[in-house]
Structures are given as structure tokens and as C-alpha cells.
Amino acid sequence: MQFDVAAFGELVIDLVPVASPQGLVFDAKPGGAPGNVAAGVARLGLAAAMLSKVGDEALGAAVLEALAACGVDTRAVVRARGEKTPLAVVSVAADGERDFTLYRENCADATYAPHEVSLDVVRAARVLHVGTLSLAASTSAAAHRAAMRCALDTGNRISADPNFRPAFWRDRDAMRHAGRELAAAAHILKVTEEELAFLTGITEIPAAVRSLSQSTLLVAAVTKGPAGAALFTEECRISVPGFTVRAVDTVGCGDAFMAAFLAGLLEAGSGEMGDSALETIGVRACAAGAIIAMSS
């Protein structure tokens, strides 16, 4: 089977606070940035697969069921006995901005090993989408790099979203190095404005993007929250305004942007892309993020 996108990385259960007369209550929602991107791509009508490892328990089953319900092929996800599906406790501020506390002790995805990666799925995907979290543990980092090498050797493209979680990394320099490793391999790169400044030490967006550019990078998206996004190719520089919405919860907005951005690029094909086509893709991606922000 052929796939448009195979997403590699963590699958998580997000515990999101909800209003309740009984006091503090958390709603368990399947998440993890790579899984969210795979689900978004599938919802947009493209073929998506997931490469990951979860616990052989109720939480692992729940996240796989949620992905399958969106149309994601989960056959390449490994189930591990005696290991856990990680949890992320989410706190949401009044303006919808969120923070995460990750619980990853003995988590399955940290032990995702190279021999467990379904390289046939990697080869069958037009794009391999990756983040940085799997680079934080030596075993999953080896699996991550094996998947990227396989994609590159096959002639497929790498999509990267660092999606930094500073609370998880003990060493910020290691986190920066992981982000720069992804940027160096990526054909498609998405970063927030804050992540871009962290990666490069440069606050001026075009200059920072230029500093990350290398021969393989085809397109970069720098997201700016409600202010929209800046999109870059070798020939184009597009500024896309955001949508004014009442933000209820921003969890998953960046992942929705990424999914719509990837879907748009894949549907546009491999030919040269002008300003108008790139702008249309960017507007749709910003709209996808805004829609998620309005939901809870």
C-alpha cells in the first residue's frame, strides 16, 4: 500500500482540564504531535500511516482506535507489554494558550528500536513526517535516524516540525541540536517564530530562515499564532494573515496547520510553486489551526 504521509514519533494521551461541578476533572484525549498530523492528513482525504510504539494497555488501545477512526493506518505501531503509553497533563490559560507536563517514565516510545520500525511503510510514503521528542532517548533516536535514512535513500521527502517541549529536555543545547538535525535533513520545515529564534539565535525571520536553508529545503513555514504565518521557498516569500477567532484551546493548532500544509503541498505536486499557490496553501493551513483553536 502507498501512503502520502507516514508520521514517526510519540503517541500520547493528553489529560485536558474541563469544567465540572465536582471540581478538577481531566478529559483523556489521544494526542502526540506526529499522531495529530497523521490524523489531520487522513481527515483531509490523503493516505496516512503511523510509526510508533505504545503500551499494551487501555491507553495504548485508545490512541490507536482514535487514529484508526480518522483513517490512519496503524499496523506499523508496535504494542509493548510492560511499558506505558505516555501521559501529558495539559493546563490551559484564559487566552487558550497551553502548557504540558509530560509523564514518560517507562514509556514505550522511548524504547522504539530500529529493528521495530516498519521500513516498508517508510519506503511506501511520499513524505516521512518527524519531530524532535524521539531524539531525546538513545534507542528511539536510533530508530528515528534509521527511518530518515530509509526515506532519503528511497528518494522520499522529510517533513519536520521540531515541536519543542522544553520541560522534557534536561539540556536545552541538546534540544537545540535535535532541532537543527531535523532542519538539516528536511525538505519541508515548520517552526514557530519562537522556535526559529531558539534554533538560530536570530530574531529577524527571513534572516533566520536563510541561516537554516540547505540544498534539500524546499519550503519553510514559520507560524506566528493569531498573526498567521510566513512561508518561504527559494523563489517566494509569502505573508499569510491569521484568522480572528475566540480561542478556547490552542492544543493541536500547530499540528492542524502542519497537516493542512502538507496536504496542500502534496496535492499541488512537485512542480514549481508560485506565490498564488503557496499563499492558498498557507491560508488553508492557518484556517485549520484557527478551527482547532475554537474547539475544546
Side-chain angles (χ1 to χ4, degrees):
M1 181 173 178
Q2 298 297 304
F3 300 102
D4 295 298
V5 176
F8 180 103
E10 72 278 3
L11 293 171
V12 180
I13 295 292
D14 291 335
L15 297 180
V16 182
V18 294
S20 167
Q22 285 76 41
L24 185 61
V25 174
F26 289 89
D27 185 16
K29 295 185 176 182
N36 290 342
V37 171
V41 166
R43 284 173 172 168
L44 290 168
L46 279 69
M50 190 70 212
L51 295 151
S52 189
K53 188 175 183 180
V54 297
D56 189 19
E57 20 82 309
L59 296 180
V63 74
L64 293 186
E65 288 169 7
L67 285 172
C70 294
V72 177
D73 190 311
T74 63
R75 287 174 292 180
V77 178
V78 178
R79 302 293 300 276
R81 289 189 177 183
E83 296 175 9
K84 301 172 185 176
T85 303
L87 295 172
V89 177
V90 184
S91 58
V92 183
D95 62 358
E97 289 300 319
R98 77 285 188 265
D99 193 17
F100 293 84
T101 301
L102 298 176
Y103 293 86
R104 293 178 54 82
E105 183 179 358
N106 194 33
C107 68
D109 63 84
T111 66
Y112 192 23
H115 73 272
E116 296 177 303
V117 178
S118 295
L119 295 181
D120 287 347
V121 171
V122 178
R123 295 187 189 99
R126 295 166 67 189
V127 173
L128 176 69
H129 178 70
V130 294
T132 58
L133 201 58
S134 59
L135 290 172
S138 59
T139 301
S140 58
H144 177 124
R145 292 177 179 124
M148 288 207 302
R149 282 195 303 272
C150 178
L152 294 172
D153 289 346
T154 307
N156 297 336
R157 291 179 175 172
I158 302 291
S159 162
D161 177 1
N163 194 40
F164 291 132
R165 293 286 177 261
F168 176 71
W169 292 79
R170 294 181 180 178
D171 184 342
R172 287 178 64 85
D173 287 338
M175 184 173 75
R176 182 183 291 107
H177 179 78
R180 293 188 70 89
E181 179 180 346
L182 291 195
H187 301 91
I188 302 162
L189 176 67
K190 176 251 174 192
V191 290
T192 68
E193 161 171 54
E194 296 80 11
E195 288 171 338
L196 182 62
F198 173 72
L199 279 174
T200 65
I202 302 169
T203 56
E204 204 265 330
I205 289 176
V209 171
R210 285 195 300 271
S211 78
L212 287 177
S213 294
Q214 29 67 31
S215 60
T216 60
L217 186 63
L218 300 175
V219 59
V222 182
T223 57
K224 300 185 285 185
L231 311 178
F232 299 86
T233 68
E234 186 176 358
E235 302 296 333
C236 303
R237 174 184 169 186
I238 302 293
S239 180
V240 180
F243 290 82
T244 301
V245 299
R246 180 179 177 273
V248 176
D249 184 353
T250 61
V251 174
C253 290
D255 303 330
F257 178 100
M258 185 79 249
F261 192 60
L262 278 177
L265 292 173
L266 286 166
E267 289 167 352
S270 58
E272 289 188 14
M273 188 178 305
D275 287 19
S276 178
L278 186 60
E279 182 176 13
T280 297
I281 292 169
V283 168
R284 291 176 177 173
C286 286
I291 290 168
I292 295 299
M294 290 188 293
S295 61
S296 60

